[in-house]
Amino acid sequence: MAASSDPFRSSFLYRTPRLQLLFVAPVISLLVMFSRTFARPTPLALVPGCILEHGPFATRSSRGANRSTRALRLFSEGSDCTTASTVSRQEKISSPWTDPQLSERSKRKRRGNTRFRQHVNPLSRKYQQETDLSEKWPQDVFSDCSKQLHIDIGCGKGGFLLDLAKQEPKDGLDSYNYLGLEIRPLVAQYARDRVAVHHLQGKLDYVGCNANVDLSRVLRLYQKAALARMDDDNHNLRLTRVTIQFPDPHFKSHHAKRRVVTPQLIDALAVYMPTNAVVFLQSDVQSVLDDMRLQFRERAVYFEDMLESKNDYLSENFLGVPTEREVSVLDKGLPVYRAVFTRTSELLLPATERIIQDVL
């Protein structure tokens, strides 16, 4: 039979399929790579009412697509921005504590599983905003704002304050209003919904906020409302008890800046707490308690540690009402570390004088 006239068909490569694969596959891969690199994406038409069906945004993650959709919505409503990314950056971050779905999600939690997300980043942009309070707060939630105030910072689901507020009037406990602050929006809503269930309206409230952002504003509003009800002593500060219990430990060293007890928070407490007011700290993580304690000890001019040595801890909860976390830890036979500070008579000047003048 005559030899083929095609030189490639008679070559060794043509007659060896395995070598064909080794030669052709890299060429195909290179062609695909160059086609993806130099291919121009379908332009995104920024016109009112356009839908993200084509172009590069259609292949992005759901988060990117949602962001682009919001950008297009703003553009269609009359924004003067020229690109979707610019519109997205200029969009205002909504407050995490005003989500209209929080109430419904809280109801589902009450009906079923009550486990919540344990950690949030308090330094993220959405948690650096001031929380939304009603124009009449706190008069619309407390029946008598002249009562002393107990604040639980990082109150969680609110069980501690619920138990404390339900105690029989003794040892002056009936003279208190109770306020819980919680940064996790859904947890704060869950705690707020429990107030009516336990018939504690008028003496207990929960506010979703970042304490390091909103504490001074919350205390100023309460102090102003208290002075409006008091006729004898306009300098009688009402914040007489603060509890900070089992805060998020943030074990990693570069996350330590996220911890709740900061110099700014301590100074805010010093402005609004009268002499002999009490700050109660406790945690099942010794390093966390020691860090909170050190922060207060560094401001010994305003807060005095009831224990002389920093290596000593209170053996019992002097309030007599344990938190849910405290019960769980003690049931496991693990230790709880506690410390108590009292407010000295030293005023934080000129802040205290300025605050008093503002609320009068």
Side-chain angles (χ1 to χ4, degrees), residues 246-322:
F246 304 95
D248 192 337
H250 292 297
F251 290 108
K252 296 181 180 179
S253 58
H254 61 281
H255 287 169
K257 59 186 178 182
R258 300 180 180 182
R259 292 180 176 174
V260 63
V261 177
T262 64
Q264 294 76 18
L265 183 135
I266 297 175
D267 288 345
L269 295 178
V271 169
Y272 290 96
M273 297 185 76
T275 304
N276 296 325
V278 175
V279 177
F280 177 50
L281 312 173
Q282 65 173 341
S283 174
D284 56 329
V285 182
Q286 185 176 4
S287 61
V288 173
L289 190 283
D290 290 343
D291 179 75
M292 293 192 293
R293 194 177 197 177
L294 177 62
Q295 298 280 1
F296 277 93
R297 276 179 167 256
E298 289 180 349
R299 282 154 181 75
V301 65
Y302 304 121
F303 293 95
E304 181 182 2
D305 196 336
M306 290 185 61
L307 299 176
E308 183 176 352
S309 173
K310 63 180 182 180
N311 297 320
D312 294 335
Y313 305 94
L314 293 179
S315 59
E316 295 182 358
N317 182 337
F318 84 102
L319 291 174
V321 178

Coordinates of all heavy atoms in Angstrom, one line a residue, residues 246-322:
F246 N -18.9 37.9 83.0 CA -18.6 37.0 82.0 C -18.6 37.6 80.6 O -19.3 37.1 79.7 CB -19.6 35.8 82.0 CG -19.6 35.1 83.4 CD1 -20.6 35.5 84.3 CD2 -18.7 34.1 83.7 CE1 -20.6 34.9 85.6 CE2 -18.8 33.5 85.0 CZ -19.7 33.9 85.9
P247 N -17.9 38.7 80.4 CA -17.8 39.3 79.0 C -17.1 38.4 78.0 O -16.4 37.4 78.4 CB -17.1 40.6 79.3 CG -16.2 40.3 80.4 CD -17.0 39.3 81.3
D248 N -17.2 38.6 76.8 CA -16.5 37.9 75.7 C -15.0 38.0 76.0 O -14.5 39.1 76.1 CB -16.9 38.5 74.4 CG -16.4 37.6 73.2 OD1 -15.5 36.8 73.4 OD2 -17.0 37.8 72.1
P249 N -14.3 36.9 76.1 CA -12.9 36.9 76.6 C -12.0 37.4 75.5 O -10.9 38.0 75.8 CB -12.6 35.4 76.9 CG -13.6 34.6 76.1 CD -14.8 35.5 76.1
H250 N -12.3 37.2 74.2 CA -11.4 37.6 73.1 C -9.9 37.2 73.5 O -9.0 38.0 73.7 CB -11.4 39.2 72.9 CG -12.7 39.7 72.4 ND1 -13.2 39.3 71.2 CD2 -13.6 40.5 73.0 CE1 -14.4 39.9 70.9 NE2 -14.7 40.6 72.0
F251 N -9.7 35.9 73.4 CA -8.5 35.3 73.9 C -7.2 35.8 73.0 O -6.2 36.0 73.6 CB -8.5 33.8 73.8 CG -9.5 33.2 74.8 CD1 -10.7 32.7 74.4 CD2 -9.1 33.2 76.1 CE1 -11.6 32.1 75.4 CE2 -10.0 32.7 77.1 CZ -11.2 32.1 76.7
K252 N -7.4 36.0 71.7 CA -6.2 36.3 70.9 C -5.7 37.7 71.3 O -6.5 38.6 71.6 CB -6.6 36.3 69.4 CG -7.0 34.9 68.9 CD -7.4 35.0 67.4 CE -7.7 33.6 66.9 NZ -8.1 33.6 65.5
S253 N -4.4 37.9 71.4 CA -3.8 39.1 71.8 C -4.2 40.3 71.0 O -4.4 41.4 71.5 CB -2.3 39.0 71.9 OG -1.8 38.7 70.6
H254 N -4.3 40.1 69.6 CA -4.7 41.2 68.8 C -6.2 41.5 68.8 O -6.6 42.4 68.1 CB -4.2 40.9 67.3 CG -4.8 39.7 66.7 ND1 -4.4 38.4 67.0 CD2 -5.9 39.6 65.8 CE1 -5.1 37.6 66.3 NE2 -6.0 38.2 65.6
H255 N -6.9 40.7 69.5 CA -8.4 41.0 69.7 C -8.6 41.6 71.1 O -9.8 41.9 71.4 CB -9.2 39.7 69.6 CG -9.3 39.2 68.2 ND1 -9.8 38.0 67.9 CD2 -9.0 39.8 67.0 CE1 -9.8 37.8 66.6 NE2 -9.3 38.9 66.0
A256 N -7.6 41.8 71.9 CA -7.8 42.4 73.2 C -8.4 43.8 73.2 O -9.2 44.1 74.1 CB -6.4 42.5 74.0
K257 N -8.2 44.5 72.1 CA -8.8 45.8 72.0 C -10.3 45.8 71.9 O -11.0 46.8 72.0 CB -8.2 46.6 70.8 CG -8.4 45.9 69.5 CD -7.6 46.6 68.4 CE -7.8 45.8 67.1 NZ -7.0 46.5 66.0
R258 N -10.9 44.6 71.6 CA -12.3 44.5 71.5 C -13.0 44.3 72.9 O -14.3 44.2 72.9 CB -12.7 43.3 70.6 CG -12.1 43.3 69.2 CD -12.5 42.1 68.4 NE -12.0 42.1 67.1 CZ -12.2 41.2 66.1 NH1 -12.9 40.1 66.5 NH2 -11.7 41.3 64.9
R259 N -12.3 44.1 73.9 CA -12.9 43.8 75.2 C -13.7 45.0 75.7 O -13.4 46.2 75.4 CB -11.8 43.5 76.2 CG -11.1 42.1 75.9 CD -10.1 41.8 76.9 NE -9.5 40.4 76.6 CZ -8.5 39.9 77.2 NH1 -7.9 40.5 78.3 NH2 -8.1 38.7 76.9
V260 N -14.7 44.7 76.5 CA -15.7 45.7 76.9 C -15.2 46.8 77.8 O -15.5 48.0 77.7 CB -16.9 45.0 77.5 CG1 -16.6 44.3 78.8 CG2 -18.1 46.0 77.7
V261 N -14.3 46.4 78.8 CA -13.8 47.4 79.8 C -12.6 48.1 79.2 O -11.6 47.6 78.9 CB -13.4 46.7 81.1 CG1 -12.8 47.7 82.1 CG2 -14.6 46.0 81.7
T262 N -12.9 49.4 78.9 CA -11.9 50.3 78.4 C -11.7 51.5 79.3 O -12.6 51.8 80.1 CB -12.3 50.8 77.0 OG1 -13.5 51.5 77.1 CG2 -12.5 49.5 76.1
P263 N -10.7 52.3 79.1 CA -10.5 53.5 79.9 C -11.7 54.5 79.7 O -12.2 55.1 80.6 CB -9.2 54.1 79.4 CG -8.4 52.9 78.9 CD -9.4 52.0 78.4
Q264 N -12.2 54.5 78.5 CA -13.3 55.4 78.2 C -14.6 55.0 78.9 O -15.4 55.8 79.5 CB -13.6 55.5 76.7 CG -12.5 56.1 75.9 CD -11.3 55.2 75.7 OE1 -11.4 54.0 75.9 NE2 -10.2 55.8 75.3
L265 N -14.8 53.7 79.0 CA -16.0 53.2 79.7 C -15.9 53.5 81.2 O -16.9 53.9 81.8 CB -16.2 51.7 79.5 CG -17.4 51.0 80.1 CD1 -18.1 50.1 79.1 CD2 -17.0 50.2 81.3
I266 N -14.7 53.3 81.8 CA -14.5 53.6 83.2 C -14.7 55.0 83.5 O -15.4 55.4 84.5 CB -13.2 53.1 83.6 CG1 -13.0 51.6 83.5 CG2 -12.9 53.5 85.1 CD1 -11.7 51.0 83.8
D267 N -14.2 55.9 82.6 CA -14.4 57.3 82.9 C -15.9 57.7 82.8 O -16.4 58.6 83.5 CB -13.6 58.1 81.8 CG -12.1 58.1 82.1 OD1 -11.7 57.7 83.2 OD2 -11.3 58.4 81.2
A268 N -16.6 57.1 81.9 CA -18.1 57.4 81.8 C -18.8 57.0 83.1 O -19.7 57.7 83.6 CB -18.7 56.7 80.6
L269 N -18.4 55.8 83.6 CA -19.0 55.4 84.9 C -18.6 56.4 86.0 O -19.5 56.7 86.9 CB -18.5 54.0 85.2 CG -19.0 52.9 84.3 CD1 -18.4 51.5 84.8 CD2 -20.5 52.8 84.2
A270 N -17.4 56.8 86.0 CA -16.9 57.7 87.1 C -17.7 59.0 87.1 O -18.0 59.6 88.1 CB -15.4 58.0 86.9
V271 N -18.1 59.5 85.9 CA -18.8 60.8 85.8 C -20.2 60.6 86.5 O -20.7 61.6 87.1 CB -19.0 61.2 84.3 CG1 -19.9 62.3 84.2 CG2 -17.6 61.6 83.8
Y272 N -20.9 59.5 86.3 CA -22.3 59.4 86.7 C -22.5 58.6 88.0 O -23.6 58.4 88.4 CB -23.1 58.7 85.6 CG -23.2 59.7 84.4 CD1 -22.4 59.6 83.3 CD2 -24.2 60.6 84.3 CE1 -22.5 60.4 82.2 CE2 -24.4 61.5 83.2 CZ -23.5 61.3 82.2 OH -23.6 62.2 81.1
M273 N -21.5 58.1 88.6 CA -21.6 57.3 89.8 C -21.3 58.1 91.0 O -20.2 58.7 91.1 CB -20.7 56.0 89.7 CG -21.1 55.1 88.6 SD -20.1 53.5 88.6 CE -21.0 52.6 90.0
P274 N -22.1 58.1 92.0 CA -21.9 58.8 93.3 C -20.9 58.0 94.2 O -20.6 56.9 93.9 CB -23.3 58.9 93.9 CG -24.0 57.7 93.5 CD -23.5 57.4 92.1
T275 N -20.5 58.7 95.2 CA -19.6 58.1 96.2 C -20.2 56.8 96.8 O -21.4 56.8 97.1 CB -19.3 59.0 97.3 OG1 -18.7 60.2 96.8 CG2 -18.3 58.4 98.3
N276 N -19.4 55.7 96.9 CA -19.8 54.4 97.5 C -20.6 53.6 96.5 O -21.1 52.5 96.9 CB -20.6 54.6 98.8 CG -19.7 55.2 99.9 OD1 -18.5 54.9 100.0 ND2 -20.3 56.0 100.7
A277 N -20.9 54.1 95.3 CA -21.5 53.2 94.3 C -20.6 52.0 94.0 O -19.4 52.1 94.2 CB -21.8 54.0 93.0
V278 N -21.2 50.9 93.5 CA -20.5 49.6 93.4 C -20.4 49.2 92.0 O -21.3 49.3 91.2 CB -21.2 48.6 94.3 CG1 -20.5 47.2 94.1 CG2 -21.2 49.0 95.7
V279 N -19.2 48.6 91.6 CA -19.0 48.0 90.4 C -18.6 46.5 90.7 O -17.6 46.3 91.4 CB -17.9 48.6 89.5 CG1 -17.7 47.9 88.2 CG2 -18.3 50.1 89.2
F280 N -19.4 45.6 90.2 CA -19.1 44.1 90.4 C -18.7 43.5 89.1 O -19.3 43.5 88.1 CB -20.4 43.5 90.9 CG -20.3 42.0 91.2 CD1 -19.2 41.5 91.9 CD2 -21.2 41.1 90.7 CE1 -19.1 40.1 92.1 CE2 -21.1 39.8 90.9 CZ -20.1 39.3 91.6
L281 N -17.5 42.8 89.2 CA -16.9 42.1 88.0 C -16.8 40.6 88.3 O -16.4 40.3 89.5 CB -15.5 42.7 87.7 CG -15.3 44.2 87.7 CD1 -13.8 44.5 87.5 CD2 -16.1 44.8 86.5
Q282 N -17.1 39.8 87.3 CA -16.8 38.4 87.5 C -16.7 37.7 86.1 O -17.3 38.2 85.1 CB -17.9 37.7 88.4 CG -19.3 37.6 87.8 CD -20.2 36.8 88.7 OE1 -19.7 35.9 89.5 NE2 -21.5 36.9 88.6
S283 N -15.9 36.7 86.1 CA -15.6 35.9 84.9 C -15.1 34.5 85.3 O -14.5 34.4 86.4 CB -14.6 36.6 84.0 OG -14.3 35.8 82.9
D284 N -15.3 33.6 84.4 CA -14.7 32.2 84.7 C -13.4 32.1 84.0 O -12.7 31.0 84.1 CB -15.7 31.1 84.1 CG -16.0 31.3 82.7 OD1 -16.0 32.5 82.2 OD2 -16.2 30.3 82.0
V285 N -12.9 33.2 83.4 CA -11.6 33.2 82.8 C -10.7 34.2 83.6 O -11.0 35.4 83.6 CB -11.6 33.6 81.3 CG1 -10.2 33.6 80.7 CG2 -12.5 32.7 80.5
Q286 N -9.7 33.6 84.3 CA -9.0 34.5 85.2 C -8.3 35.6 84.6 O -8.3 36.8 85.1 CB -7.9 33.6 86.0 CG -7.1 34.3 87.0 CD -6.2 33.4 87.8 OE1 -6.0 32.3 87.5 NE2 -5.5 34.0 88.8
S287 N -7.7 35.4 83.4 CA -7.0 36.5 82.7 C -8.0 37.6 82.3 O -7.6 38.8 82.3 CB -6.3 36.0 81.4 OG -7.3 35.4 80.5
V288 N -9.2 37.3 82.0 CA -10.2 38.3 81.6 C -10.6 39.1 82.9 O -10.6 40.4 82.8 CB -11.5 37.7 81.0 CG1 -12.6 38.7 80.8 CG2 -11.1 37.0 79.7
L289 N -10.8 38.5 84.0 CA -11.1 39.2 85.2 C -9.9 40.1 85.6 O -10.1 41.2 86.0 CB -11.4 38.2 86.3 CG -12.0 38.8 87.7 CD1 -10.9 39.3 88.6 CD2 -13.1 39.7 87.4
D290 N -8.7 39.5 85.5 CA -7.5 40.3 85.9 C -7.3 41.5 85.0 O -6.9 42.6 85.4 CB -6.2 39.4 85.8 CG -6.2 38.4 86.8 OD1 -6.9 38.5 87.8 OD2 -5.4 37.4 86.7
D291 N -7.7 41.4 83.7 CA -7.6 42.5 82.8 C -8.6 43.6 83.2 O -8.2 44.8 83.2 CB -7.8 42.1 81.4 CG -7.7 43.2 80.4 OD1 -6.6 43.7 80.1 OD2 -8.7 43.7 79.9
M292 N -9.8 43.3 83.4 CA -10.8 44.2 83.8 C -10.4 44.9 85.2 O -10.5 46.1 85.3 CB -12.2 43.6 84.0 CG -12.8 43.0 82.7 SD -14.6 42.6 82.9 CE -14.4 41.1 84.0
R293 N -9.9 44.1 86.1 CA -9.5 44.6 87.4 C -8.4 45.6 87.2 O -8.3 46.6 87.9 CB -9.1 43.4 88.2 CG -9.0 43.7 89.7 CD -8.6 42.5 90.5 NE -8.9 42.6 91.9 CZ -8.7 41.6 92.8 NH1 -8.4 40.4 92.3 NH2 -9.0 41.8 94.1
L294 N -7.4 45.3 86.4 CA -6.3 46.2 86.1 C -6.7 47.5 85.6 O -6.2 48.6 86.0 CB -5.3 45.5 85.2 CG -4.0 46.3 84.8 CD1 -3.2 46.7 86.0 CD2 -3.2 45.6 83.8
Q295 N -7.7 47.5 84.7 CA -8.2 48.7 84.1 C -8.8 49.6 85.2 O -8.6 50.8 85.2 CB -9.3 48.4 83.1 CG -8.8 47.6 81.9 CD -8.1 48.5 80.8 OE1 -7.9 49.7 81.0 NE2 -7.6 47.9 79.8
F296 N -9.5 49.0 86.1 CA -10.1 49.8 87.2 C -9.0 50.2 88.2 O -9.1 51.4 88.8 CB -11.2 49.0 87.9 CG -12.6 49.1 87.2 CD1 -12.9 48.2 86.3 CD2 -13.4 50.2 87.5 CE1 -14.2 48.2 85.7 CE2 -14.7 50.2 86.9 CZ -15.0 49.3 85.9
R297 N -8.1 49.4 88.5 CA -7.0 49.7 89.4 C -6.2 50.9 88.9 O -5.6 51.6 89.7 CB -6.1 48.5 89.7 CG -6.7 47.6 90.8 CD -5.8 46.3 91.0 NE -6.2 45.6 92.2 CZ -5.5 45.7 93.4 NH1 -4.4 46.4 93.5 NH2 -5.9 45.0 94.4
E298 N -6.0 51.0 87.6 CA -5.2 52.1 87.1 C -6.0 53.4 87.2 O -5.4 54.5 87.0 CB -5.0 51.8 85.6 CG -3.9 50.7 85.4 CD -3.7 50.5 83.9 OE1 -4.4 51.0 83.0 OE2 -2.7 49.7 83.6
R299 N -7.2 53.4 87.6 CA -8.0 54.6 87.9 C -8.4 54.5 89.4 O -9.6 54.8 89.7 CB -9.2 54.7 87.0 CG -8.8 55.2 85.6 CD -9.7 54.8 84.5 NE -9.2 55.3 83.3 CZ -8.2 54.8 82.6 NH1 -7.5 53.8 83.1 NH2 -7.8 55.3 81.4
A300 N -7.5 54.2 90.2 CA -7.7 54.1 91.7 C -8.2 55.4 92.3 O -8.8 55.3 93.4 CB -6.5 53.5 92.4
V301 N -7.9 56.5 91.7 CA -8.4 57.7 92.2 C -9.9 57.8 92.2 O -10.5 58.5 93.0 CB -7.8 58.9 91.4 CG1 -8.2 58.9 90.0 CG2 -8.1 60.2 92.1
Y302 N -10.6 57.0 91.3 CA -12.0 57.0 91.2 C -12.7 55.8 91.7 O -13.8 55.8 92.1 CB -12.4 57.2 89.7 CG -11.9 58.5 89.1 CD1 -11.0 58.4 88.0 CD2 -12.1 59.7 89.6 CE1 -10.5 59.6 87.4 CE2 -11.6 60.9 89.1 CZ -10.8 60.8 88.0 OH -10.2 61.9 87.4
F303 N -12.0 54.6 91.6 CA -12.5 53.3 92.0 C -11.5 52.6 92.9 O -10.4 52.4 92.5 CB -12.9 52.5 90.8 CG -14.0 53.0 90.0 CD1 -13.8 53.8 88.9 CD2 -15.3 52.8 90.3 CE1 -14.8 54.4 88.1 CE2 -16.4 53.3 89.6 CZ -16.1 54.1 88.5
E304 N -12.0 52.2 94.0 CA -11.1 51.5 95.0 C -11.5 50.0 95.1 O -12.7 49.6 95.2 CB -11.3 52.1 96.4 CG -10.5 51.4 97.5 CD -10.7 52.1 98.8 OE1 -11.5 53.0 98.9 OE2 -10.0 51.6 99.8
D305 N -10.5 49.1 94.9 CA -10.7 47.7 95.0 C -10.9 47.3 96.5 O -10.2 47.7 97.4 CB -9.4 47.0 94.5 CG -9.7 45.5 94.2 OD1 -10.6 44.9 94.8 OD2 -8.9 45.0 93.4
M306 N -12.0 46.5 96.7 CA -12.3 46.1 98.1 C -11.3 45.2 98.6 O -11.2 45.0 99.8 CB -13.7 45.5 98.1 CG -14.8 46.5 97.9 SD -16.5 45.7 98.1 CE -16.4 45.1 99.8
L307 N -10.6 44.5 97.8 CA -9.5 43.6 98.2 C -8.1 44.2 97.9 O -7.9 44.7 96.8 CB -9.6 42.2 97.5 CG -10.9 41.4 97.7 CD1 -10.9 40.2 96.8 CD2 -11.1 41.1 99.2
E308 N -7.3 44.2 98.9 CA -6.0 44.9 98.8 C -5.1 44.2 97.8 O -4.5 44.9 97.0 CB -5.3 44.9 100.2 CG -4.0 45.6 100.1 CD -3.4 45.7 101.5 OE1 -4.0 45.3 102.5 OE2 -2.2 46.2 101.6
S309 N -5.0 42.9 97.7 CA -4.2 42.2 96.8 C -4.9 41.9 95.5 O -6.0 41.4 95.5 CB -3.6 40.9 97.4 OG -2.9 40.2 96.5
K310 N -4.2 42.1 94.4 CA -4.8 41.7 93.1 C -4.8 40.2 92.9 O -5.4 39.8 91.9 CB -4.0 42.4 92.0 CG -2.5 41.9 91.9 CD -1.8 42.6 90.7 CE -0.4 42.1 90.6 NZ 0.3 42.8 89.5
N311 N -4.2 39.5 93.7 CA -4.2 38.0 93.6 C -5.4 37.4 94.4 O -5.5 36.1 94.4 CB -2.9 37.4 94.1 CG -1.7 37.9 93.2 OD1 -1.9 38.0 92.0 ND2 -0.6 38.2 93.8
D312 N -6.1 38.2 95.1 CA -7.3 37.7 95.9 C -8.6 37.9 95.2 O -8.7 39.0 94.5 CB -7.3 38.4 97.3 CG -6.1 38.0 98.1 OD1 -5.5 36.9 97.9 OD2 -5.8 38.8 99.0
Y313 N -9.5 37.0 95.3 CA -10.8 37.1 94.7 C -11.9 36.9 95.6 O -11.7 36.1 96.6 CB -10.9 36.1 93.5 CG -9.7 36.3 92.5 CD1 -8.6 35.5 92.6 CD2 -9.8 37.2 91.4 CE1 -7.6 35.6 91.7 CE2 -8.8 37.3 90.5 CZ -7.7 36.5 90.7 OH -6.6 36.6 89.8
L314 N -13.1 37.5 95.4 CA -14.2 37.2 96.2 C -14.7 35.7 96.0 O -14.7 35.3 94.8 CB -15.4 38.1 95.9 CG -15.2 39.6 96.2 CD1 -16.4 40.4 95.8 CD2 -14.9 39.8 97.7
S315 N -15.0 35.1 97.1 CA -15.4 33.7 96.9 C -16.9 33.5 96.5 O -17.3 32.4 96.0 CB -15.2 32.9 98.3 OG -15.9 33.6 99.3
E316 N -17.7 34.5 96.8 CA -19.2 34.4 96.5 C -19.7 35.7 95.8 O -19.1 36.7 95.8 CB -19.9 34.2 97.8 CG -19.6 32.9 98.5 CD -20.5 32.7 99.8 OE1 -21.2 33.7 100.1 OE2 -20.3 31.7 100.4
N317 N -20.8 35.5 95.1 CA -21.5 36.5 94.4 C -22.2 37.3 95.5 O -23.2 36.8 96.1 CB -22.5 36.0 93.4 CG -23.2 37.1 92.6 OD1 -23.4 38.2 93.1 ND2 -23.7 36.7 91.4
F318 N -21.8 38.5 95.8 CA -22.4 39.2 97.0 C -23.8 39.7 96.7 O -24.6 40.1 97.6 CB -21.5 40.4 97.3 CG -21.7 41.7 96.5 CD1 -22.4 42.7 97.1 CD2 -21.2 41.8 95.2 CE1 -22.7 43.9 96.3 CE2 -21.4 42.9 94.5 CZ -22.1 44.0 95.0
L319 N -24.2 39.7 95.4 CA -25.6 40.1 95.1 C -26.6 38.9 95.4 O -27.8 39.2 95.5 CB -25.7 40.5 93.6 CG -25.0 41.8 93.3 CD1 -25.1 42.1 91.8 CD2 -25.7 43.0 94.0
G320 N -26.1 37.7 95.4 CA -26.9 36.6 95.7 C -27.8 36.1 94.6 O -28.5 35.1 94.7
V321 N -27.6 36.6 93.4 CA -28.4 36.2 92.2 C -27.4 35.8 91.1 O -26.7 36.7 90.6 CB -29.3 37.3 91.7 CG1 -30.0 36.9 90.4 CG2 -30.3 37.7 92.8
P322 N -27.3 34.6 90.8 CA -26.3 34.1 89.8 C -26.8 34.4 88.4 O -28.0 34.4 88.1 CB -26.1 32.6 90.1 CG -27.5 32.2 90.6 CD -28.0 33.4 91.4

